Amino acid sequence: MPSLSTITDLANLKVEPHNKLKMDKAMPTLLDQTASKIVGQPINRLHGNLKVCGQATFTAEYHLDGQLYGVLVCSTIGKGEVIELITETALKSPDVVDIIVDFETFIRNPQQGGQKSAPAQGTDKITYLGQPIALAVAKTLEAATEAAKAVQVRYKDDSDNGAFDFEAEKANSVMMDGVPIKKQGEPEEALADAEISVDKVYYTPSQSNSPIEPHASLATWQDDELTLYTSNQMLAPCKQQMADALGIKADKVRLISRFIGGGFGSKLGIAPESVAAAVAAKKLGKPVLVVMTRPQVMETTVRRSNTEQRIGLGADKDGKIHTIIHDSTITNLPKEVFFEPTALSTPFLYAGENRQIKYKMVRMNQVLAGSMRAPGEAVGQIAIECAMDELAEKVGLDPIELRILNEPEKDPSKDIPYSTRQLVACMQTGAEKFGWDQRRTRPASVRDGEWFVGMGMAVACRVNHLQKSQARVTLTLNDEKLLGVEATIETDMTDIGTGTYTVLAQIAADMLGLPIDHISVQLGDTDLPPGSGSGGSVGAASSGSSVYLACEKLRELIAEQVGLDADTVQLDNGIVIRKAASSDNKDDQNQDDQNQDDSSLVDTIKSAAEEKAKAIATDVAEKIATKAGLAVERKEKPQFGDDDQRPLHQVIAQCQDNTLKALGEIKPGKTEKDYRQGCYGANFVEVGVHAYTGEIRLRRMTGVFTAGRILNHKAATSQCYGGMVFGIGSALMEEIVHDKRNGRLCNHDLAEYHLPVNADVPQLDVVLLEEDDQYTNPIHIKGIGETAISGAAAAIANAVYNATGIRVYDFPIKLDKLIDQLPDLPETATDATTAMSA
Ligand code: MOS
């Protein structure tokens, strides 16, 4: 297999056929023209049966001959230095092999997403409680666990100088390098002069990613080459991080993550168990498996930063917003560059000529703050959307009307158009489905027995991006398949439970005219072409586009083989045919017309120029090829009659090695700068708040979202359920409690860190509006994963206010924050059952 550097090396012309696209302009999509329409269908996960039967092998389930077990020894102080490790007792047990100490190489904390270098090393310096120090290795997990406990660590304890108490440390907040204040107009002045304003501070606590599969790595060396079975979201950067941490070349590292039990951002970079396993395996000459315990996942990987957000909204008396201020204070370990980007969508969510976005960082000796599902928007929109609810009340407008009134025509910060934006449609559809017209404006005016009942809404908004991503698709003969041919997708893209395997297969199935069971998908191995990985909701769009582009190239190659042009070839159920003329194919034609209408004259001119450039480039390449003695084959063009049909397997049988393959590559381009790309939605919630105890129960929740085309309605809907449930946790339960004396994570397991369980989740209703976005990528999709969580918690908070008249600014909203303010249950209150059926 050629390495990537050779694939991209122009001097080497023995390149495999490829199709590379930089998204510089609107692109039509062939998905409109395929014979089958598997894309979009709610088909089941390809590996669903394997997973529920326990047959999908996750990292901790691999077993290699002679494998040893490692358990991390973690710091019990929050700041200081390690003086000495006393290991005699730990080494006494017959099954214990070694206590591995390598202060220089071990990593102190995980790496942030996408980085190419190792995270902080030097584990003798303690920067937070829970930081790894050493690894106890034994023949059994039990012996390793006991040994890790028996290691005694002598510290120089500097906890007196530790930063453990946010309130106390806030005074030391600093601006970060490279994160200047963003300012338009005169926000502070305009807010002070506003006819109507809201100026409030919201607090959201640290939260734990804690995916269902704990972080785990199994390291094995063959000479100087490391293979690491691990649980990572983004393999290509993680491979570089591993190499950098170990001081070896990246081509000596292979990462394998075929199945991943969630990540939520905590597996974007390598975590401490990976380097520890690799160091131990090298030293001991045997494979070493390290699986974090649940408390270690929570104490030694990633949290979402707590935030303190000031939202200032200034409007005229009619509710027209002219000023938006979003100032955030967030936390992280010393020197870490990541900051919770709370105001990611603040520049473009609502209209307004005065705007300010400011971040201040407080350095804390607490577990690393990093990406957690919808970093930024998930908590940033809690603040913005609660403030909008308050403004609506002050202006005397319905919350939806206020938002419609402040709907911008263009991105108000950059003066660029939106690629697509259906926020108003999401709100209106949601209002109708949910029955928003039955909401009583006056708080605490609806009851159901001993419960106050209220309704709230908030919008969802999340930026959309594309990442460079590659995939190879290979067509081969396979007698076991009904149509005699099989397509194999290869990319180091991951499936963290989102359904990547399935949606990539759907794209290839339509593009190649094959049933889904004729597509095999190989993911999660750095020996495969590097994909985007799973993060920032870019995975499906980026890796899906690379698969699409590889398939597009295969269609061209097939067309060439049979004597058709690329734009006349149609692949239908294993048969190559000429694409039907417009009369037989009205839908396609209409769609073409539509695309034509949509693309501006400029685009047309641009694309003509690019076609020409392409032709010249091909010509040049051929000339160079001839010079290099690699004559470009020029065969006699075969004939293909109008009614001809050629089985695809016959075509493949005529190809060299009975194989046809192509590499696809997508890259972000100008459309990301020229068009504001985002996903939009709206969440609607009905809550009950118990009039005497303050207990809060969700009664129902409706979410309406847009994310371009939907690849798989079942998988996309599941993503939205997940986001809405995250919103419930964020509004009502989730909160890391750090001990203010030493930073210890007091609630470091899933018994004490409260998450919504089934009984906390009411009927969730998800609607995905139709959308098509030709500026995002050649498959016209947007990232759905992190959209539904954004703002979901605000909808709940706003419903709690509508139910009780109490606004809580300090999340999560728990009964103790309501109980002493609850109004009396008025006898005249409208009974919910009457109100709801009215
Ligand atoms: Mo996501 S927080 O970008 O994995």
Side-chain angles (χ1 to χ4, degrees):
M1 180 168 308
S3 78
L4 266 173
S5 55
T6 59
I7 288 171
T8 49
D9 189 353
L10 277 174
N12 183 348
L13 284 157
K14 278 187 122 179
V15 288
E16 64 183 307
H18 60 261
N19 188 14
K20 298 184 176 184
L21 176 70
K22 187 158 173 261
M23 260 325 269
D24 281 334
K25 64 183 175 79
M27 291 298 298
T29 184
L30 281 173
L31 292 177
D32 285 329
Q33 301 174 27
T34 55
S36 62
K37 297 276 185 257
I38 299 170
V39 166
Q41 285 181 30
I43 64 168
N44 288 338
R45 303 292 169 95
L46 298 186
H47 297 92
N49 54 350
L50 283 187
K51 286 186 180 175
V52 296
C53 296
Q55 299 295 304
T57 309
F58 290 80
T59 298
E61 297 168 323
Y62 281 94
H63 191 92
L64 303 177
D65 279 349
Q67 171 179 317
L68 301 171
Y69 298 83
V71 171
L72 288 168
V73 178
C74 295
S75 167
T76 54
I77 65 164
K79 189 171 195 287
E81 263 175 68
V82 176
I83 303 290
E84 188 188 7
L85 289 181
I86 304 158
T87 59
E88 276 158 26
T89 318
L91 287 167
K92 265 187 196 148
S93 158
D95 279 339
V96 175
V97 176
D98 203 352
I99 307 296
I100 306 288
V101 182
D102 185 340
F103 289 145
E104 274 176 34
T105 313
F106 273 35
I107 60 176
R108 280 189 213 156
N109 50 253
Q111 181 52 294
Q112 306 285 357
Q115 302 291 317
K116 290 182 177 162
S117 56
Q121 288 170 296
T123 42
D124 52 340
K125 302 262 183 306
I126 304 299
T127 53
Y128 66 98
L129 194 149
Q131 179 188 304
I133 297 170
L135 186 75
V137 182
K139 288 179 190 155
T140 65
L141 173 63
E142 292 76 9
T145 304
E146 288 310 309
K149 281 188 210 160
V151 172
Q152 293 163 270
V153 186
R154 284 214 308 123
Y155 301 98
K156 184 177 156 217
D157 192 341
D158 193 24
S159 295
D160 286 349
N161 295 312
F164 305 122
D165 181 355
F166 177 71
E167 286 302 322
E169 296 300 325
K170 241 174 23 187
N172 305 324
S173 69
V174 290
M175 299 287 295
M176 280 165 297
D177 289 344
V179 190
I181 300 176
K182 275 193 200 163
K183 200 170 142 187
Q184 274 176 268
E186 297 295 338
E188 294 288 3
E189 292 79 350
L191 184 69
D193 294 344
E195 286 176 308
I196 299 181
S197 65
V198 172
D199 195 353
K200 286 282 158 61
V201 175
Y202 299 83
Y203 179 81
T204 65
S206 293
Q207 298 174 331
S208 177
N209 305 48
S210 237
I212 190 166
E213 181 204 16
H215 297 59
S217 290
L218 167 59
T220 181
W221 292 81
Q222 271 177 315
D223 301 322
D224 61 347
E225 297 194 358
L226 169 70
T227 301
L228 193 78
Y229 297 86
T230 187
S231 187
N232 281 139
Q233 296 174 228
M234 274 185 183
L235 291 192
C238 284
K239 167 176 156 154
Q240 290 179 311
Q241 293 162 23
M242 276 306 288
D244 189 46
L246 298 168
I248 59 177
K249 292 220 163 78
D251 62 5
K252 301 290 184 195
V253 177
R254 180 183 180 193
L255 300 189
I256 296 174
S257 298
R258 295 201 180 99
F259 293 105
I260 300 156
F264 303 130
S266 69
K267 295 172 181 171
L268 288 170
I270 58 170
E273 95 294 342
S274 60
V275 174
V279 170
K282 182 81 175 171
K283 181 174 181 211
L284 301 171
K286 287 190 175 162
V288 174
L289 172 68
V290 184
V291 183
M292 286 199 187
T293 62
R294 179 59 60 186
Q296 285 173 342
V297 167
M298 299 178 80
E299 291 175 336
T300 312
T301 68
V302 177
R303 69 183 163 101
R304 188 202 298 281
S305 169
N306 55 315
T307 73
E308 194 178 273
Q309 301 175 60
R310 173 196 171 207
I311 302 289
L313 298 175
D316 66 20
K317 62 180 186 329
D318 301 323
K320 196 91 182 151
I321 296 172
H322 52 67
T323 303
I324 300 174
I325 292 177
H326 196 167
D327 294 342
S328 305
T329 306
I330 65 268
T331 61
N332 209 343
L333 280 166
K335 295 192 179 139
E336 288 292 329
V337 292
F338 177 89
F339 64 98
E340 182 71 25
T342 41
L344 264 187
S345 58
T346 309
F348 65 94
L349 183 53
Y350 297 116
E353 56 275 25
N354 304 293
R355 207 170 293 248
Q356 173 175 300
I357 291 169
K358 189 160 89 181
Y359 291 101
K360 280 178 140 188
M361 170 62 77
V362 181
R363 297 297 176 184
M364 300 289 293
N365 295 112
Q366 292 172 342
V367 61
L368 178 78
S371 295
M372 175 167 158
R373 198 136 172 99
E377 288 106 333
V379 287
Q381 271 162 46
I382 293 179
I384 278 260
E385 288 301 287
C386 286
M388 284 295 281
D389 202 66
E390 213 161 318
L391 183 67
E393 189 182 32
K394 277 194 165 181
V395 177
L397 277 178
D398 178 273
I400 295 176
E401 284 169 27
L402 174 72
R403 287 168 173 88
I404 293 174
L405 182 67
N406 290 289
E407 177 73 3
E409 272 174 26
K410 280 181 153 193
D411 179 333
S413 302
K414 290 191 163 167
D415 199 31
I416 53 172
Y418 294 94
S419 62
T420 46
R421 174 172 166 125
Q422 295 198 74
L423 180 59
V424 172
C426 289
M427 289 190 287
Q428 288 172 337
T429 307
E432 180 151 348
K433 283 225 78 165
F434 181 80
W436 182 250
D437 58 349
Q438 286 168 35
R439 172 179 178 268
R440 300 296 162 111
T441 310
R442 191 165 56 84
S445 56
V446 180
R447 73 151 195 245
D448 183 357
E450 292 185 346
W451 296 79
F452 289 110
V453 177
M455 292 182 182
M457 64 82 59
V459 307
C461 173
R462 164 125 181 98
V463 291
N464 181 64
H465 289 298
L466 190 63
Q467 280 280 322
K468 183 176 171 181
S469 201
Q470 288 189 343
R472 179 182 296 108
V473 181
T474 307
L475 281 163
T476 49
L477 298 180
N478 184 341
D479 289 343
E480 283 171 22
K481 300 291 177 193
L482 191 65
L483 303 173
V485 53
E486 180 179 33
T488 304
I489 297 169
E490 295 174 301
T491 166
D492 83 354
M493 174 63 190
T494 51
D495 187 336
I496 63 171
T498 44
T500 314
Y501 280 106
T502 313
V503 296
L504 295 187
Q506 287 177 275
I507 294 168
D510 276 347
M511 288 293 287
L512 300 174
L514 292 171
I516 196 114
D517 64 355
H518 284 48
I519 315 289
S520 100
V521 188
Q522 306 295 327
L523 301 180
D525 183 338
T526 54
D527 274 358
L528 305 175
S532 60
S534 303
S537 298
V538 303
S542 308
S543 68
S545 294
S546 67
V547 168
Y548 169 93
L549 292 167
C551 292
E552 186 181 43
K553 185 69 189 176
L554 286 174
R555 291 168 68 101
E556 278 172 42
L557 296 173
I558 292 162
E560 203 175 292
Q561 286 285 327
V562 300
L564 281 167
D565 293 330
D567 57 357
T568 54
V569 71
Q570 182 64 297
L571 304 173
D572 187 4
N573 210 25
I575 307 286
V576 184
I577 52 173
R578 184 186 287 276
K579 196 179 284 172
S582 53
S583 58
D584 297 346
N585 224 333
K586 265 213 173 99
D587 285 351
D588 295 353
Q589 197 54 47
N590 286 342
Q591 195 64 49
D592 283 350
D593 291 347
Q594 181 109 31
N595 287 338
Q596 198 59 46
D597 289 345
D598 288 346
S599 57
S600 64
L601 185 62
V602 177
D603 279 341
T604 317
I605 295 167
K606 267 195 202 160
S607 69
E610 271 172 33
E611 285 308 314
K612 196 165 181 190
K614 230 194 221 167
I616 294 167
T618 315
D619 194 41
V620 170
E622 284 182 8
K623 277 184 187 146
I624 300 171
T626 318
K627 264 195 190 157
L630 296 161
V632 175
E633 253 179 275
R634 282 247 177 258
K635 274 188 279 177
E636 194 76 356
K637 196 176 178 187
Q639 295 295 311
F640 198 97
D642 277 354
D643 299 321
D644 279 2
Q645 298 202 345
R646 294 276 303 280
L648 184 59
H649 71 85
Q650 263 183 28
V651 179
I652 303 303
Q654 283 170 0
C655 297
Q656 200 178 5
D657 302 329
N658 296 339
T659 295
L660 207 52
K661 63 180 174 179
L663 186 86
E665 180 190 282
I666 187 76
K667 263 193 213 170
K670 288 194 195 119
T671 57
E672 224 166 81
K673 296 199 177 71
D674 296 347
Y675 296 88
R676 171 56 77 179
Q677 296 181 23
C679 293
Y680 300 88
N683 276 300
F684 292 81
V685 173
E686 183 185 295
V687 296
V689 179
H690 195 268
Y692 308 130
T693 66
E695 179 184 353
I696 306 161
R697 305 299 301 177
L698 261 77
R699 293 159 64 105
R700 60 200 179 92
M701 190 166 181
T702 299
V704 182
F705 308 101
T706 52
R709 287 181 180 225
I710 299 301
L711 290 177
N712 178 318
H713 265 87
K714 185 178 278 183
T717 301
S718 286
Q719 290 293 302
C720 297
Y721 290 149
M724 291 157 85
V725 174
F726 250 92
I728 300 171
S730 204
L732 305 178
M733 296 160 205
E734 289 192 55
E735 173 177 30
I736 286 179
V737 179
H738 286 107
D739 190 320
K740 288 178 184 170
R741 296 164 303 178
N742 55 15
R744 181 174 173 273
L745 211 152
C746 303
N747 51 346
H748 65 184
D749 55 50
L750 295 179
E752 298 298 326
Y753 182 86
H754 292 174
L755 292 166
V757 296
N758 284 355
D760 300 311
V761 180
Q763 182 62 43
L764 301 179
D765 196 6
V766 169
V767 181
L768 298 165
L769 293 188
E770 279 207 25
E771 190 170 81
D772 184 88
D773 193 327
Q774 55 183 340
Y775 298 103
T776 52
N777 49 62
I779 49 178
H780 295 190
I781 74 166
K782 297 195 276 198
I784 185 81
E786 292 168 316
T787 303
I789 178 178
S790 305
I796 297 165
N798 293 338
V800 169
Y801 174 74
N802 184 245
T804 62
I806 305 168
R807 290 209 190 265
V808 175
Y809 299 91
D810 174 17
F811 284 78
I813 305 169
K814 295 187 291 190
L815 52 77
D816 57 297
K817 295 175 189 173
L818 299 179
I819 197 162
D820 58 358
Q821 302 176 62
L822 285 167
D824 292 334
L825 202 54
E827 277 168 33
T828 53
T830 312
D831 192 86
T833 42
T834 327
M836 297 310 155
S837 57

